[in-house]
mmCIF file of all heavy atoms in Angstrom:
data_model
loop_
_atom_site.group_PDB
_atom_site.id
_atom_site.type_symbol
_atom_site.label_atom_id
_atom_site.label_comp_id
_atom_site.label_asym_id
_atom_site.label_seq_id
_atom_site.Cartn_x
_atom_site.Cartn_y
_atom_site.Cartn_z
ATOM 1 N N GLY A 27 143.390 102.327 126.904
ATOM 2 C CA GLY A 27 144.203 103.189 127.755
ATOM 3 C C GLY A 27 144.904 102.466 128.888
ATOM 4 O O GLY A 27 145.379 103.098 129.819
ATOM 5 N N PHE A 28 145.000 101.141 128.836
ATOM 6 C CA PHE A 28 145.650 100.409 129.909
ATOM 7 C C PHE A 28 147.130 100.195 129.642
ATOM 8 O O PHE A 28 147.857 99.816 130.529
ATOM 9 C CB PHE A 28 144.985 99.044 130.119
ATOM 10 C CG PHE A 28 143.562 99.158 130.522
ATOM 11 C CD1 PHE A 28 142.563 98.579 129.773
ATOM 12 C CD2 PHE A 28 143.205 99.862 131.655
ATOM 13 C CE1 PHE A 28 141.245 98.679 130.148
ATOM 14 C CE2 PHE A 28 141.881 99.974 132.036
ATOM 15 C CZ PHE A 28 140.894 99.376 131.283
ATOM 16 N N GLY A 29 147.568 100.382 128.442
ATOM 17 C CA GLY A 29 148.963 100.157 128.126
ATOM 18 C C GLY A 29 149.580 101.410 127.562
ATOM 19 O O GLY A 29 148.899 102.336 127.147
ATOM 20 N N GLY A 30 150.888 101.456 127.576
ATOM 21 C CA GLY A 30 151.591 102.548 126.925
ATOM 22 C C GLY A 30 151.723 103.819 127.736
ATOM 23 O O GLY A 30 152.218 104.804 127.219
ATOM 24 N N ASN A 31 151.295 103.834 128.988
ATOM 25 C CA ASN A 31 151.481 105.021 129.807
ATOM 26 C C ASN A 31 152.894 105.023 130.359
ATOM 27 O O ASN A 31 153.356 104.025 130.903
ATOM 28 C CB ASN A 31 150.501 105.052 130.977
ATOM 29 C CG ASN A 31 149.106 105.436 130.570
ATOM 30 O OD1 ASN A 31 148.749 105.390 129.402
ATOM 31 N ND2 ASN A 31 148.313 105.817 131.533
ATOM 32 N N GLU A 32 153.547 106.164 130.255
ATOM 33 C CA GLU A 32 154.858 106.332 130.857
ATOM 34 C C GLU A 32 154.650 106.907 132.251
ATOM 35 O O GLU A 32 153.881 107.842 132.444
ATOM 36 C CB GLU A 32 155.703 107.284 130.012
ATOM 37 C CG GLU A 32 157.087 107.489 130.556
ATOM 38 C CD GLU A 32 157.918 108.432 129.698
ATOM 39 O OE1 GLU A 32 157.627 108.567 128.491
ATOM 40 O OE2 GLU A 32 158.843 109.038 130.256
ATOM 41 N N THR A 33 155.335 106.345 133.225
ATOM 42 C CA THR A 33 155.230 106.850 134.587
ATOM 43 C C THR A 33 156.156 108.049 134.751
ATOM 44 O O THR A 33 157.315 108.008 134.329
ATOM 45 C CB THR A 33 155.614 105.749 135.597
ATOM 46 O OG1 THR A 33 154.729 104.647 135.414
ATOM 47 C CG2 THR A 33 155.518 106.244 137.026
ATOM 48 N N VAL A 34 155.611 109.120 135.330
ATOM 49 C CA VAL A 34 156.402 110.322 135.587
ATOM 50 C C VAL A 34 156.342 110.647 137.080
ATOM 51 O O VAL A 34 155.413 110.254 137.769
ATOM 52 C CB VAL A 34 155.901 111.533 134.758
ATOM 53 C CG1 VAL A 34 156.158 111.320 133.273
ATOM 54 C CG2 VAL A 34 154.430 111.805 135.018
ATOM 55 N N ALA A 35 157.356 111.363 137.533
ATOM 56 C CA ALA A 35 157.427 111.773 138.937
ATOM 57 C C ALA A 35 157.709 113.268 138.988
ATOM 58 O O ALA A 35 158.284 113.844 138.059
ATOM 59 C CB ALA A 35 158.526 111.000 139.659
ATOM 60 N N ALA A 36 157.317 113.873 140.085
ATOM 61 C CA ALA A 36 157.558 115.298 140.273
ATOM 62 C C ALA A 36 158.910 115.515 140.951
ATOM 63 O O ALA A 36 159.319 114.741 141.808
ATOM 64 C CB ALA A 36 156.451 115.909 141.121
ATOM 65 N N VAL A 37 159.575 116.563 140.531
ATOM 66 C CA VAL A 37 160.792 117.027 141.185
ATOM 67 C C VAL A 37 160.509 118.446 141.642
ATOM 68 O O VAL A 37 160.126 119.299 140.823
ATOM 69 C CB VAL A 37 162.008 116.982 140.221
ATOM 70 C CG1 VAL A 37 163.233 117.591 140.881
ATOM 71 C CG2 VAL A 37 162.278 115.561 139.754
ATOM 72 N N ASN A 38 160.646 118.672 142.937
ATOM 73 C CA ASN A 38 160.321 119.980 143.515
ATOM 74 C C ASN A 38 158.906 120.430 143.152
ATOM 75 O O ASN A 38 158.675 121.593 142.834
ATOM 76 C CB ASN A 38 161.343 121.035 143.109
ATOM 77 C CG ASN A 38 162.730 120.721 143.618
ATOM 78 O OD1 ASN A 38 162.886 120.222 144.727
ATOM 79 N ND2 ASN A 38 163.735 120.996 142.808
ATOM 80 N N GLY A 39 157.973 119.484 143.163
ATOM 81 C CA GLY A 39 156.574 119.813 142.940
ATOM 82 C C GLY A 39 156.156 119.989 141.495
ATOM 83 O O GLY A 39 155.040 120.432 141.226
ATOM 84 N N THR A 40 157.039 119.620 140.562
ATOM 85 C CA THR A 40 156.737 119.818 139.144
ATOM 86 C C THR A 40 157.123 118.589 138.327
ATOM 87 O O THR A 40 158.211 118.041 138.497
ATOM 88 C CB THR A 40 157.512 121.041 138.599
ATOM 89 O OG1 THR A 40 157.172 122.187 139.380
ATOM 90 C CG2 THR A 40 157.199 121.300 137.142
ATOM 91 N N VAL A 41 156.223 118.181 137.431
ATOM 92 C CA VAL A 41 156.527 117.142 136.452
ATOM 93 C C VAL A 41 157.033 117.852 135.197
ATOM 94 O O VAL A 41 156.407 118.810 134.727
ATOM 95 C CB VAL A 41 155.275 116.301 136.128
ATOM 96 C CG1 VAL A 41 155.516 115.399 134.922
ATOM 97 C CG2 VAL A 41 154.853 115.492 137.343
ATOM 98 N N THR A 42 158.152 117.394 134.674
ATOM 99 C CA THR A 42 158.760 118.008 133.490
ATOM 100 C C THR A 42 158.840 116.985 132.372
ATOM 101 O O THR A 42 159.347 115.880 132.570
ATOM 102 C CB THR A 42 160.171 118.542 133.823
ATOM 103 O OG1 THR A 42 160.060 119.485 134.896
ATOM 104 C CG2 THR A 42 160.812 119.202 132.618
ATOM 105 N N ILE A 43 158.345 117.372 131.201
ATOM 106 C CA ILE A 43 158.368 116.516 130.014
ATOM 107 C C ILE A 43 159.018 117.321 128.896
ATOM 108 O O ILE A 43 158.540 118.421 128.572
ATOM 109 C CB ILE A 43 156.945 116.096 129.606
ATOM 110 C CG1 ILE A 43 156.277 115.322 130.753
ATOM 111 C CG2 ILE A 43 156.965 115.282 128.315
ATOM 112 C CD1 ILE A 43 154.781 115.119 130.584
ATOM 113 N N PRO A 44 160.087 116.814 128.296
ATOM 114 C CA PRO A 44 160.713 117.551 127.193
ATOM 115 C C PRO A 44 159.743 117.734 126.020
ATOM 116 O O PRO A 44 159.056 116.802 125.618
ATOM 117 C CB PRO A 44 161.891 116.660 126.784
ATOM 118 C CG PRO A 44 162.161 115.797 127.983
ATOM 119 C CD PRO A 44 160.816 115.595 128.631
ATOM 120 N N VAL A 45 159.701 118.947 125.479
ATOM 121 C CA VAL A 45 158.847 119.243 124.321
ATOM 122 C C VAL A 45 159.179 118.294 123.176
ATOM 123 O O VAL A 45 158.289 117.825 122.470
ATOM 124 C CB VAL A 45 158.986 120.722 123.890
ATOM 125 C CG1 VAL A 45 158.366 120.954 122.528
ATOM 126 C CG2 VAL A 45 158.363 121.642 124.928
ATOM 127 N N ALA A 46 160.449 117.980 123.003
ATOM 128 C CA ALA A 46 160.865 117.090 121.911
ATOM 129 C C ALA A 46 160.188 115.724 121.998
ATOM 130 O O ALA A 46 160.033 115.042 120.985
ATOM 131 C CB ALA A 46 162.384 116.922 121.917
ATOM 132 N N ASP A 47 159.759 115.331 123.196
ATOM 133 C CA ASP A 47 159.095 114.035 123.374
ATOM 134 C C ASP A 47 157.627 114.057 122.953
ATOM 135 O O ASP A 47 157.018 112.999 122.790
ATOM 136 C CB ASP A 47 159.163 113.587 124.837
ATOM 137 C CG ASP A 47 160.555 113.181 125.277
ATOM 138 O OD1 ASP A 47 161.488 113.187 124.439
ATOM 139 O OD2 ASP A 47 160.717 112.870 126.471
ATOM 140 N N VAL A 48 157.041 115.257 122.808
ATOM 141 C CA VAL A 48 155.592 115.334 122.571
ATOM 142 C C VAL A 48 155.214 116.224 121.386
ATOM 143 O O VAL A 48 154.044 116.561 121.220
ATOM 144 C CB VAL A 48 154.852 115.824 123.844
ATOM 145 C CG1 VAL A 48 154.996 114.816 124.965
ATOM 146 C CG2 VAL A 48 155.328 117.201 124.271
ATOM 147 N N ASP A 49 156.167 116.587 120.550
ATOM 148 C CA ASP A 49 155.864 117.538 119.470
ATOM 149 C C ASP A 49 155.599 116.882 118.123
ATOM 150 O O ASP A 49 155.678 117.524 117.091
ATOM 151 C CB ASP A 49 156.975 118.586 119.347
ATOM 152 C CG ASP A 49 158.278 118.017 118.814
ATOM 153 O OD1 ASP A 49 158.411 116.787 118.714
ATOM 154 O OD2 ASP A 49 159.166 118.823 118.500
ATOM 155 N N ASP A 50 155.203 115.614 118.145
ATOM 156 C CA ASP A 50 154.997 114.869 116.903
ATOM 157 C C ASP A 50 153.530 114.757 116.487
ATOM 158 O O ASP A 50 153.200 114.031 115.551
ATOM 159 C CB ASP A 50 155.612 113.481 117.023
ATOM 160 C CG ASP A 50 155.025 112.667 118.176
ATOM 161 O OD1 ASP A 50 154.130 113.180 118.885
ATOM 162 O OD2 ASP A 50 155.489 111.524 118.366
ATOM 163 N N GLY A 51 152.639 115.440 117.182
ATOM 164 C CA GLY A 51 151.215 115.364 116.842
ATOM 165 C C GLY A 51 150.501 114.158 117.431
ATOM 166 O O GLY A 51 149.295 114.016 117.256
ATOM 167 N N GLN A 52 151.245 113.308 118.124
ATOM 168 C CA GLN A 52 150.653 112.129 118.746
ATOM 169 C C GLN A 52 150.390 112.394 120.219
ATOM 170 O O GLN A 52 151.155 113.111 120.876
ATOM 171 C CB GLN A 52 151.593 110.924 118.623
ATOM 172 C CG GLN A 52 151.883 110.522 117.196
ATOM 173 C CD GLN A 52 150.617 110.159 116.459
ATOM 174 O OE1 GLN A 52 149.840 109.325 116.910
ATOM 175 N NE2 GLN A 52 150.391 110.785 115.318
ATOM 176 N N ALA A 53 149.326 111.824 120.747
ATOM 177 C CA ALA A 53 149.048 111.921 122.180
ATOM 178 C C ALA A 53 150.003 110.986 122.911
ATOM 179 O O ALA A 53 150.162 109.826 122.533
ATOM 180 C CB ALA A 53 147.608 111.531 122.466
ATOM 181 N N HIS A 54 150.656 111.523 123.917
ATOM 182 C CA HIS A 54 151.571 110.746 124.753
ATOM 183 C C HIS A 54 150.925 110.626 126.123
ATOM 184 O O HIS A 54 150.590 111.628 126.749
ATOM 185 C CB HIS A 54 152.937 111.430 124.824
ATOM 186 C CG HIS A 54 153.579 111.519 123.481
ATOM 187 N ND1 HIS A 54 154.436 110.553 123.007
ATOM 188 C CD2 HIS A 54 153.444 112.431 122.482
ATOM 189 C CE1 HIS A 54 154.823 110.877 121.782
ATOM 190 N NE2 HIS A 54 154.228 112.012 121.446
ATOM 191 N N PHE A 55 150.763 109.390 126.572
ATOM 192 C CA PHE A 55 150.021 109.104 127.791
ATOM 193 C C PHE A 55 150.976 108.871 128.957
ATOM 194 O O PHE A 55 151.969 108.156 128.824
ATOM 195 C CB PHE A 55 149.119 107.887 127.575
ATOM 196 C CG PHE A 55 148.018 108.158 126.592
ATOM 197 C CD1 PHE A 55 148.219 107.987 125.229
ATOM 198 C CD2 PHE A 55 146.770 108.605 127.022
ATOM 199 C CE1 PHE A 55 147.207 108.247 124.317
ATOM 200 C CE2 PHE A 55 145.749 108.866 126.118
ATOM 201 C CZ PHE A 55 145.972 108.692 124.764
ATOM 202 N N TYR A 56 150.617 109.460 130.103
ATOM 203 C CA TYR A 56 151.462 109.412 131.290
ATOM 204 C C TYR A 56 150.632 109.029 132.508
ATOM 205 O O TYR A 56 149.420 109.231 132.537
ATOM 206 C CB TYR A 56 152.103 110.779 131.542
ATOM 207 C CG TYR A 56 152.995 111.226 130.420
ATOM 208 C CD1 TYR A 56 152.506 112.019 129.388
ATOM 209 C CD2 TYR A 56 154.334 110.839 130.374
ATOM 210 C CE1 TYR A 56 153.320 112.414 128.337
ATOM 211 C CE2 TYR A 56 155.150 111.237 129.329
ATOM 212 C CZ TYR A 56 154.643 112.023 128.316
ATOM 213 O OH TYR A 56 155.449 112.406 127.287
ATOM 214 N N THR A 57 151.330 108.510 133.522
ATOM 215 C CA THR A 57 150.734 108.201 134.808
ATOM 216 C C THR A 57 151.577 108.846 135.897
ATOM 217 O O THR A 57 152.802 108.744 135.885
ATOM 218 C CB THR A 57 150.666 106.676 135.045
ATOM 219 O OG1 THR A 57 149.891 106.075 134.005
ATOM 220 C CG2 THR A 57 150.039 106.348 136.391
ATOM 221 N N TYR A 58 150.901 109.501 136.827
ATOM 222 C CA TYR A 58 151.550 110.141 137.968
ATOM 223 C C TYR A 58 150.953 109.555 139.246
ATOM 224 O O TYR A 58 149.726 109.471 139.376
ATOM 225 C CB TYR A 58 151.319 111.654 137.924
ATOM 226 C CG TYR A 58 151.821 112.375 139.149
ATOM 227 C CD1 TYR A 58 153.180 112.599 139.329
ATOM 228 C CD2 TYR A 58 150.938 112.808 140.127
ATOM 229 C CE1 TYR A 58 153.647 113.247 140.466
ATOM 230 C CE2 TYR A 58 151.394 113.459 141.259
ATOM 231 C CZ TYR A 58 152.748 113.670 141.425
ATOM 232 O OH TYR A 58 153.210 114.304 142.548
ATOM 233 N N ASP A 59 151.817 109.144 140.180
ATOM 234 C CA ASP A 59 151.358 108.593 141.449
ATOM 235 C C ASP A 59 151.065 109.743 142.402
ATOM 236 O O ASP A 59 151.981 110.403 142.894
ATOM 237 C CB ASP A 59 152.416 107.670 142.040
ATOM 238 C CG ASP A 59 152.002 107.061 143.374
ATOM 239 O OD1 ASP A 59 150.913 107.400 143.890
ATOM 240 O OD2 ASP A 59 152.780 106.245 143.908
ATOM 241 N N ALA A 60 149.782 109.979 142.644
ATOM 242 C CA ALA A 60 149.350 111.055 143.544
ATOM 243 C C ALA A 60 148.970 110.435 144.886
ATOM 244 O O ALA A 60 147.795 110.253 145.190
ATOM 245 C CB ALA A 60 148.181 111.820 142.936
ATOM 246 N N GLY A 61 149.973 110.055 145.658
ATOM 247 C CA GLY A 61 149.705 109.484 146.976
ATOM 248 C C GLY A 61 148.978 108.159 146.927
ATOM 249 O O GLY A 61 148.043 107.945 147.692
#
Side-chain angles (χ1 to χ4, degrees):
F28 298 122
N31 284 17
E32 181 180 336
T33 301
V34 292
V37 175
N38 297 322
T40 303
V41 169
T42 302
I43 300 167
V45 167
D47 289 357
V48 295
D49 70 350
D50 59 0
Q52 298 300 307
H54 298 268
F55 293 87
Y56 298 93
T57 301
Y58 173 76
D59 180 357

